[in-house]
């Protein structure tokens, strides 16, 4: 019965993420947003794999079996949220970027904390906790945003 709840949560999140993905592609420049999406997917996959292999995180229930990481989180939810973050910070100052990063990373960390406590979708192991999740989420948003800032700057000079 418990796994059914988790699978229903994952299916609902998958449907929501597909709708959000289609919506984010409607705002130009689409190439920037796809680049953010793929950069974030790559970054999230790398970090998630590292944390799972080192024993800090475990995903007992997954939408697609055979993966140690959360495919839904690493390949859809996290990259989509990063695209929206980049869209709203495209012309922001550094202070506003950091402030808006909190608008995305705090709810993400709270949601992950809730899922870790109330479901079997994610388990924290060793010394991992919600604070480290928050820091890793915020840091990854800022890293991808900085990379996109550099890419935009370089493309203007070419």
């Amino acid at each position: 019965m418990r796994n059914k709840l988790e699978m229903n949560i994952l299916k609902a999140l998958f449907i929501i993420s597909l709708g959000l993905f289609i919506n984010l592609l409607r705002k130009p420049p689409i190439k920037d947003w796809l680049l953010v999406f793929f950069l974030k997917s790559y970054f999230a996959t790398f970090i998630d794999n590292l944390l799972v292999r080192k024993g800090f995180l475990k995903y007992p229930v997954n939408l697609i079996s055979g993966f140690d990481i959360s495919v839904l989180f690493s390949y859809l939810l996290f990259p989509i949220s990063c695209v929206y973050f980049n869209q709203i910070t495209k012309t922001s100052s550094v202070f506003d970027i950091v402030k808006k990063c909190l608008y995305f990373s705090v709810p993400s960390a709270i949601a992950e904390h809730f899922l870790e406590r109330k479901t079997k979708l994610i388990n924290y192991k060793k010394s991992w906790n919600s604070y480290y999740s928050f820091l890793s989420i915020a840091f990854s948003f800022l890293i991808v945003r900085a990379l996109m800032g550099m890419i935009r700057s370089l493309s203007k000079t070419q």
Side-chain angles (χ1 to χ4, degrees), residues 119-135:
T119 71
K120 292 184 179 182
L121 292 175
I122 184 170
N123 288 339
Y124 296 157
K125 302 287 184 182
K126 294 187 178 181
S127 60
W128 195 260
N129 59 42
S130 297
Y131 178 71
Y132 293 134
S133 285
F134 162 73
L135 289 177

Side-chain angles (χ1 to χ4, degrees), residues 6 14 16 21 28 32 43 45 47-48 60 63 79-80 88 113-114 125:
E6 282 87 359
F14 178 73
I16 290 167
F21 182 75
D32 282 12
F43 189 73
T45 302
I47 297 299
D48 218 7
L63 193 59
I80 288 168
I88 69 165
H113 176 79
F114 174 79
K125 302 287 184 182

Side-chain angles (χ1 to χ4, degrees), residues 2-72:
R2 185 93 170 145
N3 282 353
K4 187 173 182 172
L5 169 69
E6 282 87 359
M7 288 306 291
N8 286 337
I9 291 170
L10 291 175
K11 288 174 186 176
L13 288 173
F14 178 73
I15 291 167
I16 290 167
S17 65
L18 288 180
L20 291 171
F21 182 75
I22 291 167
N23 185 55
L24 72 83
L25 294 178
R26 297 173 53 192
K27 185 175 180 179
I30 191 171
K31 68 179 182 341
D32 282 12
W33 312 138
L34 287 174
L35 185 55
V36 169
F37 183 84
F38 291 123
L39 277 171
K40 184 62 165 195
S41 296
Y42 179 78
F43 189 73
T45 302
F46 176 76
I47 297 299
D48 218 7
N49 269 320
L50 181 67
L51 292 172
V52 168
R53 284 188 194 151
K54 295 290 182 182
F56 290 104
L57 299 174
K58 185 175 181 183
Y59 300 99
V61 179
N62 215 331
L63 193 59
I64 302 172
S65 61
F67 287 90
D68 291 335
I69 66 169
S70 174
V71 173
L72 181 63

